[in-house]
Amino acid sequence: MTSGISRVSRVPASGYRHTGWLVPALWTLGLGLWGLSRQDSVWRDEAATWQVARRSAAEIWHMLGNVDAVHGLYYLLMHGLFEVFGPSTTTLRLPSVLAVAAAAGCVAVTARRLVPGPAGFWAGLGGGTALGLLPAVQFQLQEGRPYALVLAGAGLSTLLLTGLLQDRPGRRAWPRWTAYALAVLVCALLNWLSLLVLPAHAVTLWWTRAGRGVLGRWVLASAGAGLGALPLILFSRSQSGQVSWIPPLTWHMLIGPAVLLAIGTLCAPLDGPRTRRLSAAAVGLPLLVVPFVALAGLSLVQPLFLDRYVLFAMLGLALLIGAGLGAGVRAAARRSPRAAALIVPVVIGAAVLAMLPMERERRAPASRVDDVLAVAHEVARLKDDGDAVLFVPAARRDTALVSPGSFTGLADIALARTPAESGTLKGVEGEDPARLRAAMLAQRRILLVTDAAKAAKPSGATRDRVKAAVLGEGFTPVADREVRGRRVTVYERTAGGR
């Protein structure tokens, strides 16, 4: 029996150390490059990255003092990339693609280390390949936001930790503990909720009964990373109004995570006997469960429950899936080594086919709530020189910030201070209703950029009510276009309008 199991993976296992991680990494890279531009669409979250990355470093620093400090490191990174490669959907999204590919490689190597015997190769191949197929990861795979980078950093820190726990006595470990602390710190500077990886790692240390020396070094490394991120955490708390839109936690929001936890829990026992040894279950299950539970607990104090904040928990699920596939290979090899070697390719192939509709949907503009570039093209087509433009709410000014050429010749009559001048994302609009009313009535034509009717929400801002009132009293709509979640309406001055 043992010889049969060995035959399953003798050839791939022998080369795994050199090439095994490449298969999941290249697979994930291919998934990310497929339809990367999403038909040249950019939605509102990515628009924030785009417009901030185009500012100077000094302007970004000025903005971080007022808003979005939690993403400061990411914005500066993207600013550098935009400076070197120019603004484009490829520059915007390729860092996320590369990050998820790196995370897949980390999962593959980690699973190979944790699953004993020849089945470890298949566990690594299956887990690393599965990571890019998980729905939450699929969404962030082509997203111009920092969450994929956090995923990669958490994958690296987990890989480093497992290696340190498997160290032979006497081997110099401090460079890798330093690397572990830096990986956790960089993740925290990208999004400090990534520090929830630390309690997950703590559970692994407890479960495997790590020695005092290892525990002491882990505490020092974790404390160093936490202290390094503490100034950002304290400062960003003063900007907590940015997440005030997140709804309070309800049980409906827990259904998706509960399904993922159930899948992971079912896979965990397949990893082997329930001992206190280091295993894929001992690493993967805490990594999957603890961040979700901790985030749910934090959300009882302040609503913060968004799955992208703990995207790195998907590393745990991928590890457990890989361990389950490795266990399947191990069991099948006792009967048919040739058939066992087909288990992982067949399961992954079936998963790809089953999820193909979702994968195609993720690469379509309709997968996001809106598209700032599509409505910018409509503005360019509908505008005349000398027209004015208004945005309701003011955050829809991101359309002009991402595609300024489409708005050339239009007067933004409500704007008092530009986003760069004011250190904000959307600029500062004048608060004097009489001045805004006079400015609007002085125009012959006004283009209004807002949300599509189905997505629009009433604005509580006084200036937005003034905009609606003046347009209704003194103007007539002559053109109206809705495209990909946004709307542009052209108003002409009514003869005799007040």
Side-chain angles (χ1 to χ4, degrees):
M1 290 186 184
T2 303
S3 61
I5 297 174
S6 298
R7 285 197 300 272
V8 173
S9 56
R10 181 180 296 135
V11 174
S14 64
Y16 187 91
R17 181 173 58 183
H18 305 291
T19 63
W21 61 271
L22 275 176
V23 175
L26 292 176
W27 160 263
T28 307
L29 179 64
L31 279 178
L33 295 177
W34 170 32
L36 184 62
S37 74
R38 291 203 306 269
Q39 299 178 32
D40 293 319
S41 65
V42 173
W43 77 296
R44 63 182 64 176
D45 279 16
E46 293 179 310
T49 300
W50 186 300
Q51 58 117 332
V52 173
R54 295 186 67 176
R55 302 183 192 184
S56 68
E59 289 171 338
I60 294 174
W61 189 255
H62 175 44
M63 185 203 76
L64 297 179
N66 301 311
V67 66
D68 253 6
V70 68
H71 297 314
L73 178 61
Y74 177 70
Y75 286 146
L76 290 169
L77 168 65
M78 293 307 298
H79 166 73
L81 293 177
F82 271 37
E83 284 287 304
V84 174
F85 300 105
S88 68
T89 53
T90 299
T91 307
L92 180 68
R93 297 182 182 131
L94 190 57
S96 291
V97 174
L98 296 175
V100 178
C106 288
V107 168
V109 177
T110 303
R112 175 66 183 89
R113 287 180 175 178
L114 295 175
V115 175
F121 169 80
W122 297 106
L125 183 65
T129 304
L131 179 68
L133 291 173
L134 298 176
V137 177
Q138 277 273 315
F139 191 94
Q140 296 298 328
L141 177 62
Q142 296 181 332
E143 188 79 350
R145 298 299 282 169
Y147 308 107
L149 277 66
V150 173
L151 179 76
L156 176 60
S157 66
T158 301
L159 174 61
L160 288 167
L161 181 66
T162 56
L164 288 161
L165 290 175
Q166 292 177 325
D167 255 358
R168 61 180 181 272
R171 186 181 179 189
R172 191 173 65 166
W174 70 263
R176 283 170 296 143
W177 281 114
T178 302
Y180 173 84
L182 288 175
V184 174
L185 175 59
V186 170
C187 286
L189 296 178
L190 290 168
N191 181 0
W192 58 261
L193 283 171
S194 66
L195 289 173
L196 293 177
V197 75
L198 292 177
H201 287 170
V203 171
T204 295
L205 294 171
W206 168 80
W207 181 256
T208 58
R209 295 176 179 172
R212 290 185 179 179
V214 171
L215 283 174
R217 294 183 184 93
W218 177 81
V219 169
L220 286 175
S222 301
L227 288 173
L230 186 60
L232 173 64
I233 296 172
L234 295 176
F235 184 76
S236 64
R237 291 296 297 158
S238 66
Q239 300 175 356
S240 59
Q242 285 184 260
V243 293
S244 60
W245 60 272
I246 301 177
L249 183 65
T250 65
W251 70 270
H252 296 88
M253 299 166 66
L254 298 174
I255 294 176
V259 171
L260 299 178
L261 298 185
I263 294 172
T265 302
L266 289 173
C267 291
L270 301 176
D271 189 35
R274 295 184 179 181
T275 62
R276 302 300 287 270
R277 65 179 176 83
L278 183 65
S279 64
V283 175
L285 198 57
L287 193 54
L288 173 62
V289 174
V290 173
F292 275 116
V293 172
L295 186 62
L298 290 173
S299 297
L300 297 176
V301 179
Q302 176 179 339
L304 286 172
F305 199 85
L306 295 176
D307 60 357
R308 61 178 177 262
Y309 289 167
V310 288
L311 181 69
F312 57 89
M314 297 300 98
L315 297 166
L317 181 57
L319 280 172
L320 293 168
I321 291 173
L325 290 172
V329 171
R330 188 186 302 115
R334 297 187 177 95
R335 295 180 177 271
S336 175
R338 290 184 178 179
L342 296 175
I343 288 179
V344 172
V346 168
V347 170
I348 293 297
V352 170
L353 291 176
M355 300 177 71
L356 187 59
M358 185 208 72
E359 293 163 4
R360 291 172 62 90
E361 179 188 346
R362 287 283 191 262
R363 288 155 178 80
S367 64
R368 272 63 173 176
V369 299
D370 58 8
D371 178 4
V372 301
L373 289 181
V375 76
H377 295 328
E378 285 297 312
V379 169
R381 191 175 65 84
L382 294 170
K383 72 177 182 177
D384 286 336
D385 286 342
D387 288 351
V389 64
L390 293 172
F391 301 92
V392 175
R396 297 304 160 260
R397 187 170 282 104
D398 58 3
T399 310
L401 298 172
V402 170
S403 184
S406 298
F407 288 77
T408 301
L410 296 178
D412 190 346
I413 55 177
L415 187 64
R417 297 175 66 202
T418 67
E421 290 171 346
S422 60
T424 62
L425 287 170
K426 59 186 180 182
V428 176
E429 295 192 345
E431 297 292 342
D432 186 346
R435 181 173 296 180
L436 176 58
R437 180 184 180 87
M440 291 177 64
L441 292 175
Q443 307 301 317
R444 183 182 67 85
R445 294 203 335 158
I446 295 177
L447 277 68
L448 175 67
V449 178
T450 186
D451 292 313
K454 291 183 178 180
K457 297 180 180 179
S459 173
T462 301
R463 58 183 177 273
D464 290 340
R465 291 197 295 269
V466 172
K467 294 172 189 176
V470 176
L471 288 173
E473 295 169 4
F475 291 82
T476 300
V478 296
D480 190 22
R481 302 286 187 273
E482 283 196 12
V483 54
R484 296 179 183 174
R486 296 254 173 135
R487 181 180 186 182
V488 55
T489 307
V490 181
Y491 289 87
E492 283 191 357
R493 186 81 160 85
T494 304
R498 293 177 295 170

